[in-house]
Amino acid sequence: MTLDREELRDGWTVALAGGTGAPDGVAGRTIPATVPGQVHTDLEREGLLADPTFDRNEADGKWVGRSDWAYRRTLDVDPRGHERIDLVCDGLDTVSTLTLDGVTIGTTRNMHRRYRFDLRDATGGSNARTERDLEILFESPYREAGRVAARAGSMPGPYDEPFPYIRKTASNFGWDWGLTAVTSGPWRPVAVERWSTARLREVRPLVDVEAGEGVLDTHVTVERSGPSTSGVSTADLDHDGEDDDLVLVVTVSGPGPDGTTTRQRSRAQLTPRDEDTVVTVRVPDAQRWWPRGYGEQPLYDVAVELQTVDGEVLDRDTFRTGFRSTRIDTAQDTIGKPFGVHVNGTLIDVRGVNWIPDDVIVSRVTRERYEDRLRTAAALRVNLVRVWGGGVYESRDFYELCDELGLLVWQDFAFACSAYPETEPIRSEVVAEARDNVARLSRHPSLVVWNGNNENIWLHDADGWDAVLGDRGWGLDYYLDLLPTIVDAVDPSRFYTVASPWSGDEALPANDVDHETHHSWDAWNRLPDTAYRTSVPRFVSEFGWQAPPAWRTLRDAVTDSPMQVDSPGVVHHQKAEDGMAKLARGIAPRFGAVAPSSFDQWHYLTQLQQTRAIATGVEHWRTHWPRNTGVVLWQLNDLWAVSSWSAVDSAGRLKPLAHELRRLYDDVLLTIRPVSSVTAPAARAATAAPDAAAAPVAAAAPVAAAAPVAADRPGGADHPASSAPVGEAAELGELADTLSLGSGGVSLGVSPGAFGSSPVEVAVRSTRSGNDGVVRVRRVTLAGAVLAEVTLPVHLSAGVAVVALPESVGVVDDPRNELIVADMDDRRAVWTPAPDRDMRWEPARFTATTEVDGATVRVVVEAATVVRDLLLQPDRVSPDGVVDRGFVTLLPGERAVFRVRGVDASAAGALLEAPVLWSLADVLST
């Protein structure tokens, strides 16, 4: 008989079972429960809990996390002709005791792993009464964490919350972008599985490509049903006194050459002494899976069947995978150590985003929401998603979508920004959790990197944790020994890196810019974004700049009337320490101070500052390929309406940064930058990538110390030592600006005379070869008069093309009244020689009209003057309003079309009114 799985979704209730602080009407009340789900969802639905993400409700819901919760339902334990019946829990959040008719059948203390309980022992060998009472009693996470903390001692970290002492989503306890909402409940499916003879305990399919042939090594472990309660072996079907042999059949089907379909099959036989084996299937001329932008994502259907020798199917696992080879290059070169992601022998230009849980109640995230977020990422030309270690190991849906969309996955183990006990019970849970998830995710071709932790080693060294820890373990043994051992044993096809950031050697500072991965947080925390240009890290796995969510998202989330910069709700939806002041310090040097009452002006300028800052970093790093081989923005998404580093807010609305990211992550990126002489690493014959064309790039300056500042950065506390060379960094007040790369006198040993006397040059990063073109460069006044113009050839090899500028366009006479504009095809870069607040902007004059085309409203803008950073925000007109572009700069006579959806034709006229349609000159003159 084939294994039968019955998910237990209906008939659940939940009730308060202990704790203090619950409001009236909760104690003694039993309410319907959603499974899979977490108790917050049910309490909100029944009106017993106000939405903690709304306004300032957060504090009123903290009692939920300090309470115990009992989930109950009846359970049919009738085996229905099968020999075994198991209770299978794909995720329990977090500390629970499971009972059947009051008899304990299991306990759990880890949200991040799966559990299975044999129900035979709980029935006393008799199923005469098949309806049993199942209870899952969830204890307050705080109580468990308190017990572990009492044994382990204090663990240094950024927040006064006990997340290191419990294997649970760390950000549940609050973060510098997240509220505190400590959840409990069966957050992933609960099921009964009935089976006979044997089942598939574990399936680990590992893929590779050898000489054009796809290779699937399917590592399979089986569990036999074992003796019945009367002692008879249920695996002995022929009653000869021995368990019977089993057969494993693996079938792979999918695209073959020339549009055909291929189907390949292999089998293996297991004797009674065998629990595991490897079944290898080879697929001739397999179509290779590529990350997006480098090729297609062909996926092959795989069926793994466990059969008797007579061909009866006992269990089956089906999934899709893709054939590709991967390698991460960290071999020493002339500069340090790179971090080069190779897929199918090609060095990938990584353009990534960091991913956090998409909801504070993570069980609410559906496949549809995953698909919306990940398709958005793909549309922004992202090719890698890093799943951050303070969240969860995501669901199968998440990774399947990444497989389909060509999004590489970098997966953190669940350790973030803190010391973690190495003592029991945590250590055993870490072992089980790591093994479970490495095996579970091995089938996904998108997964390329396992990472030991987020910032723990960096913080340990920078923040002096040893003074608190003494000789107690703090997690280092996990990262250097335990986790790599598990990855090597369970999935040796994936690369393991010790940490992010990590320099590849304990003797080096963890965040060294010349070695492997780097987190760039000096900019935003203490320095202007021009500090990005003071170094070229080998691979930037975190960097970011804050901005509030879309206007409508914030308006729907707070009750402040009117909204002001310092109104209570707006301030509450900012969790970064000193965050509002940092936003102010970011915009003031460029745009001037903003009064708290000028919310619309502040909202526009913080969005613009976020795009300018991120552009400064990405353009600098990407145009120093291959010294830098990747940038991973912090962060793609949000879990509530909050001022954060995200490109997409919690309502799924794109910030202007998202539109800018589409430009910055294009295969061809046009920039204007300070003249650079940074050196590239010397080529290594054994590891040089085919697209690793050398680019002129300068040696990094020595690391200079910076003063300690208050704790605030994504991922944890700030650090007393700077993480990047900042000796030549400008003070905030010296900041100039650019849509592409701003000026400001901050560069890597730049010599203004490197190419004539122009202090700037055009640089084009291209992942394509053979697409030659021309770049048109103009020096214009703010009135739009063209002072000089040149057209220069550009040879687009797969690398960086640098175009020196003649003085006529590269040197400005009046920094406050001129711009340098470069155009190539439909790409534009703009250089602003002075801070915007000092520029003599003329009033923006343009005509704007609307054209209705079905469900789309086209807003057509024709410029009569220079129109700098024109932004259309249709969500101010309609909650469903979305637009296809962000900030736009036009010269006189130029035309731009904004395509708007979600706004009724009757309201189209409102799209032309300020502040819905607003330019920088309008904002600065307000």
Side-chain angles (χ1 to χ4, degrees):
M1 298 177 67
T2 304
L3 180 146
D4 176 63
R5 178 180 170 94
E6 177 190 2
E7 287 203 1
L8 307 178
R9 291 182 173 268
D10 302 322
W12 289 92
T13 64
V14 64
L16 182 70
T20 59
D24 294 342
V26 176
R29 182 172 175 183
T30 298
I31 62 175
T34 303
V35 176
Q38 288 152 303
V39 71
H40 283 72
T41 303
D42 302 315
L43 294 171
E44 285 185 47
R45 185 194 62 242
E46 298 296 319
L48 300 175
L49 176 70
D51 178 0
T53 69
F54 181 70
D55 207 42
R56 290 180 287 162
N57 291 342
E58 178 185 2
D60 295 336
K62 290 190 175 181
W63 63 272
V64 178
R66 297 188 177 275
S67 299
D68 304 333
W69 299 96
Y71 281 74
R72 300 185 180 95
R73 63 158 287 160
T74 58
L75 181 64
D76 180 7
V77 296
D78 185 347
R80 301 177 188 173
H82 285 277
E83 299 160 354
R84 282 279 299 269
I85 177 169
D86 294 346
L87 182 68
V88 180
C89 302
D90 291 342
L92 297 175
D93 176 19
T94 292
V95 183
S96 72
T97 300
L98 296 88
T99 61
L100 204 60
D101 284 350
V103 177
T104 299
I105 60 173
T107 60
T108 74
R109 61 195 332 149
N110 192 331
M111 178 180 179
H112 300 304
R113 55 176 289 208
R114 296 170 291 182
Y115 292 90
R116 176 180 291 267
F117 306 101
D118 182 353
L119 295 184
R120 293 179 306 175
D121 297 337
T123 64
S126 171
N127 287 333
R129 186 174 69 82
T130 59
E131 290 293 322
R132 304 298 178 97
D133 293 324
L134 172 65
E135 179 183 87
I136 309 178
L137 177 62
F138 290 94
E139 185 180 12
S140 165
Y142 284 101
R143 195 175 306 120
E144 165 74 1
R147 287 193 296 264
V148 175
R151 293 195 297 269
S154 176
M155 291 283 135
Y159 307 116
D160 188 23
E161 289 283 348
F163 67 85
Y165 307 103
I166 185 169
R167 298 309 297 157
K168 176 176 172 58
T169 306
S171 57
N172 237 199
F173 294 88
W175 221 259
D176 53 6
W177 37 257
L179 73 164
T180 300
V182 179
T183 55
S184 290
W187 74 292
R188 281 182 170 158
V190 177
V192 165
E193 290 187 355
R194 298 173 173 87
W195 56 282
S196 299
T197 307
R199 70 174 185 90
L200 297 168
R201 179 196 293 271
E202 182 177 272
V203 176
R204 293 182 286 118
L206 309 183
V207 301
D208 203 349
V209 178
E210 297 176 358
E213 189 175 56
V215 181
L216 175 68
D217 291 327
T218 306
H219 298 248
V220 179
T221 302
V222 302
E223 179 186 6
R224 297 176 186 263
S225 55
S228 68
T229 54
S230 61
V232 177
S233 173
T234 57
D236 180 14
L237 299 180
D238 57 9
H239 307 292
D240 64 356
E242 293 184 357
D243 286 353
D244 299 329
D245 285 0
L246 299 171
V247 177
L248 281 164
V249 180
V250 178
T251 306
V252 179
S253 57
D258 302 321
T260 61
T261 298
T262 185
R263 183 181 176 87
Q264 306 294 328
R265 175 179 294 173
S266 293
R267 55 191 288 131
Q269 195 152 326
L270 282 76
T271 71
R273 293 180 296 278
D274 298 327
E275 291 186 350
D276 51 61
T277 192
V278 181
V279 183
T280 298
V281 181
R282 293 183 174 272
V283 179
D285 299 314
Q287 306 299 299
R288 296 191 187 187
W289 184 97
W290 289 92
R292 65 152 305 280
Y294 286 82
E296 301 300 317
Q297 295 79 46
L299 294 173
Y300 288 74
D301 294 312
V302 182
V304 181
E305 289 188 345
L306 178 63
Q307 301 177 358
T308 68
V309 291
D310 295 328
E312 180 185 6
V313 177
L314 301 172
D315 197 2
R316 178 184 293 111
D317 187 10
T318 60
F319 53 91
R320 295 198 297 170
T321 194
F323 291 103
R324 85 290 180 272
S325 62
T326 64
R327 177 174 65 88
I328 310 299
D329 177 20
T330 60
Q332 185 79 31
D333 60 22
T334 55
I335 292 171
K337 293 180 180 178
F339 193 87
V341 178
H342 295 252
V343 178
N344 299 325
T346 297
L347 178 60
I348 304 301
D349 182 7
V350 172
R351 289 151 277 176
V353 289
N354 281 271
W355 172 273
I356 64 171
D358 203 59
D359 198 311
V360 67
I361 315 301
V362 68
S363 58
R364 293 194 296 213
V365 184
T366 61
R367 184 182 179 95
E368 290 71 27
R369 202 199 300 187
Y370 280 129
E371 183 166 8
D372 179 75
R373 299 293 187 268
L374 293 173
R375 285 197 180 278
T376 295
L380 302 183
R381 301 185 171 124
V382 167
N383 62 17
L384 180 143
V385 178
R386 176 190 171 211
V387 182
W388 172 71
V392 297
Y393 306 91
E394 288 290 351
S395 75
R396 179 171 178 168
D397 291 334
F398 177 93
Y399 302 99
E400 286 181 345
L401 287 163
C402 289
D403 295 342
E404 295 170 11
L405 294 169
L407 295 171
L408 298 171
V409 174
W410 162 322
Q411 178 69 54
D412 283 11
F413 284 100
F415 299 93
C417 310
S418 180
Y420 283 80
E422 293 180 359
T423 53
E424 296 297 343
I426 297 295
R427 185 180 183 85
S428 292
E429 290 297 337
V430 169
V431 171
E433 164 193 321
R435 201 189 188 293
D436 186 19
N437 284 286
V438 173
R440 178 173 71 90
L441 302 186
S442 63
R443 62 189 56 190
H444 297 286
S446 55
L447 178 64
V448 292
V449 173
W450 278 101
N451 171 44
N453 70 86
N454 177 77
E455 298 186 344
N456 297 2
I457 296 175
W458 180 27
L459 284 166
H460 171 274
D461 298 343
D463 290 354
W465 286 357
D466 276 344
V468 176
L469 291 165
D471 59 359
R472 289 179 294 135
W474 51 275
L476 188 64
D477 180 65
Y478 297 155
Y479 318 135
L480 294 181
D481 184 28
L482 180 65
L483 295 176
T485 298
I486 291 172
V487 172
D488 188 57
V490 179
D491 185 2
S493 71
R494 261 67 176 211
F495 181 83
Y496 173 84
T497 184
V498 170
S500 182
W502 176 242
S503 297
D505 191 328
E506 287 185 88
L508 293 170
N511 207 28
D512 191 305
V513 294
D514 291 331
H515 296 82
E516 299 194 20
T517 56
H518 178 75
H519 288 194
S520 184
W521 286 114
D522 292 323
W524 165 255
N525 274 320
R526 59 168 72 85
L527 295 171
D529 55 76
T530 48
Y532 289 134
R533 290 195 222 111
T534 63
S535 67
V536 181
R538 309 309 300 273
F539 189 102
V540 183
S541 46
E542 277 191 24
F543 73 105
W545 202 277
Q546 264 204 6
W551 180 88
R552 177 71 61 178
T553 301
L554 191 55
R555 177 66 281 173
D556 288 348
V558 301
T559 58
D560 302 342
S561 184
M563 285 196 294
Q564 296 193 156
V565 179
D566 59 355
S567 58
V570 171
V571 172
H572 183 75
H573 286 247
Q574 162 67 273
K575 290 298 185 178
E577 186 169 341
D578 201 35
M580 299 303 281
K582 287 184 178 182
L583 285 172
R585 291 196 294 271
I587 63 177
R590 271 201 174 103
F591 308 115
V594 177
S597 59
S598 300
F599 180 85
D600 290 339
Q601 184 185 26
W602 173 83
H603 189 268
Y604 172 100
L605 292 175
T606 50
Q607 301 286 346
L608 180 56
Q609 168 60 21
Q610 185 184 39
T611 65
R612 299 274 186 98
I614 296 308
T616 300
V618 174
E619 291 188 335
H620 173 66
W621 294 323
R622 285 200 68 205
T623 59
H624 286 95
W625 169 277
R627 178 164 175 159
N628 172 275
T629 58
V631 294
V632 186
L633 174 77
W634 187 273
Q635 65 214 60
L636 175 68
N637 58 323
D638 271 327
L639 52 69
W640 73 314
V642 64
S643 289
S644 82
W645 300 261
S646 72
V648 181
D649 70 25
S650 60
R653 296 187 175 98
L654 274 60
K655 295 182 183 180
L657 172 62
H659 298 288
E660 179 71 350
L661 209 61
R662 185 182 295 115
R663 181 186 75 85
L664 295 169
Y665 281 2
D666 194 359
D667 288 346
V668 178
L669 172 62
L670 173 68
T671 75
I672 303 174
R673 71 180 191 186
V675 171
S676 176
S677 58
V678 180
T679 57
R684 287 180 281 109
T687 59
D691 59 348
V697 265
V703 174
V709 297
D712 166 33
R713 33 170 321 291
D718 207 340
H719 313 293
S722 68
S723 59
V726 294
E728 301 177 31
E731 296 298 325
L732 280 170
E734 298 174 333
L735 186 67
D737 185 57
T738 168
L739 178 62
S740 306
L741 274 177
S743 61
V746 183
S747 60
L748 288 159
V750 168
S751 169
F755 300 98
S757 60
S758 172
V760 295
E761 62 194 7
V762 169
V764 184
R765 167 69 181 119
S766 176
T767 63
R768 309 172 189 169
S769 295
N771 293 315
D772 292 350
V774 296
V775 60
R776 179 189 186 192
V777 184
R778 286 172 283 178
R779 182 164 60 91
V780 301
T781 69
L782 296 189
V786 177
L787 301 175
E789 178 177 339
V790 295
T791 300
L792 303 168
V794 180
H795 174 63
L796 293 181
S797 61
V800 179
V802 178
V803 181
L805 296 181
E807 293 182 18
S808 61
V809 293
V811 178
V812 298
D813 296 325
D814 184 352
R816 297 178 61 201
N817 191 47
E818 296 178 27
L819 301 173
I820 300 174
V821 181
D823 293 290
M824 187 176 69
D825 300 326
D826 59 349
R827 299 170 179 87
R828 167 165 287 177
V830 181
W831 179 272
T832 309
D836 291 86
R837 66 178 186 180
D838 297 331
M839 299 292 285
R840 294 194 295 272
W841 298 109
E842 298 194 2
R845 291 188 291 108
F846 57 87
T847 61
T849 58
T850 61
E851 302 171 355
V852 178
D853 181 11
T856 300
V857 177
R858 300 170 75 247
V859 176
V860 181
V861 176
E862 297 188 9
T865 63
V866 171
V867 179
R868 185 70 162 122
D869 293 317
L870 186 66
L871 181 67
L872 178 61
Q873 301 175 82
D875 60 285
R876 287 176 172 265
V877 175
S878 168
D880 297 326
V882 294
V883 66
D884 66 339
R885 62 199 311 177
F887 290 105
V888 175
T889 293
L890 299 173
L891 300 183
E894 292 182 337
R895 181 175 182 265
V897 178
F898 296 83
R899 293 171 176 82
V900 176
R901 292 179 292 108
V903 174
D904 189 83
S906 62
L911 294 170
L912 309 182
E913 300 174 1
V916 178
L917 184 65
W918 229 2
S919 73
L920 178 60
D922 297 328
V923 172
L924 294 182
S925 65
T926 300

